[in-house]
Amino acid sequence: MNTKIPIFIFITFLLTFFNASSENIKINIISDKLHVDMDERKSTFTGNVYAHNTDLKVWSDEMVVNLKLKKDEIRDIIASGNVKIVRLVEGGEIYGDQANYSLENEIIIIKGNVIVKENSSQVNGNELIVDLKNSSSIMVGSDSNRVEAIIIDN
């Protein structure tokens, strides 16, 4: 069974969720506090952050939305602290300590105690790197947290 397929499908939905600048997709972000720094062109949401649209729900302790220097377009989004992402339509969840989505490079990096759940199957590792341009993903382990795949055929 190819575990790259469920992860790729999940990442496709991440792209849809986060690429609000070019697709005019509505994203709702709720938090305890919002700090907007126009000089640095970033918005920082802190405390019980919850972001959602029609496809995904994302929870984290903090979410930073950085804009491009010359345009009002999103450069990257960084969610940190107890990150949880849930796909609404297909199901599936991803957990990690931090998720960084670079719209310019079309790369998503999820770091720290990464868990990807799809149906009854699960992949664990230290870092998940998803290259959306090349449709590839790599789960990386560490000395203390090797990559582990638990695949259950339903």
Side-chain angles (χ1 to χ4, degrees):
M1 178 181 212
N2 188 350
T3 60
K4 288 185 179 182
I5 293 172
I7 292 171
F8 175 72
I9 292 169
F10 179 74
I11 298 309
T12 301
F13 283 95
L14 283 177
L15 177 62
T16 302
F17 180 76
F18 286 129
N19 199 2
S21 61
S22 63
E23 300 294 328
N24 284 332
I25 295 171
K26 180 180 175 183
I27 299 174
N28 294 330
I29 304 174
I30 301 166
S31 65
D32 293 338
K33 181 179 176 183
L34 168 61
H35 178 259
V36 178
D37 187 332
M38 295 305 290
D39 292 334
E40 299 223 4
R41 303 198 39 84
K42 73 177 181 177
S43 298
T44 304
F45 299 84
T46 54
N48 301 304
V49 180
Y50 170 61
H52 64 95
N53 69 7
T54 56
D55 297 320
L56 289 177
K57 294 181 179 182
V58 179
W59 292 266
S60 65
D61 295 337
E62 179 179 272
M63 184 177 288
V64 178
V65 179
N66 293 300
L67 299 178
K68 293 181 179 179
L69 292 178
K70 304 283 183 185
K71 298 179 182 179
D72 285 333
E73 294 178 2
I74 298 172
R75 184 184 76 219
D76 61 24
I77 299 173
I78 302 166
S80 58
N82 301 303
V83 176
K84 176 183 177 182
I85 304 167
V86 175
R87 289 188 320 183
L88 297 176
V89 179
E90 283 77 18
E93 300 175 358
I94 189 164
Y95 299 86
D97 296 335
Q98 182 181 55
N100 183 340
Y101 174 42
S102 170
L103 278 75
E104 292 178 324
N105 298 326
E106 296 185 46
I107 292 177
I108 300 170
I109 300 173
I110 300 167
K111 294 182 178 183
N113 303 305
V114 179
I115 301 169
V116 178
K117 294 181 179 182
E118 182 93 23
N119 298 320
S120 300
S121 298
Q122 180 172 312
V123 181
N124 305 323
N126 194 53
E127 181 177 73
L128 174 63
I129 303 166
V130 181
D131 183 337
L132 297 166
K133 279 187 211 174
N134 298 310
S135 301
S136 66
S137 60
I138 301 169
M139 180 71 86
V140 180
S142 66
D143 290 341
S144 62
N145 189 14
R146 297 181 64 203
V147 174
E148 177 183 18
I150 302 164
I151 302 168
I152 299 172
D153 191 16
N154 291 331

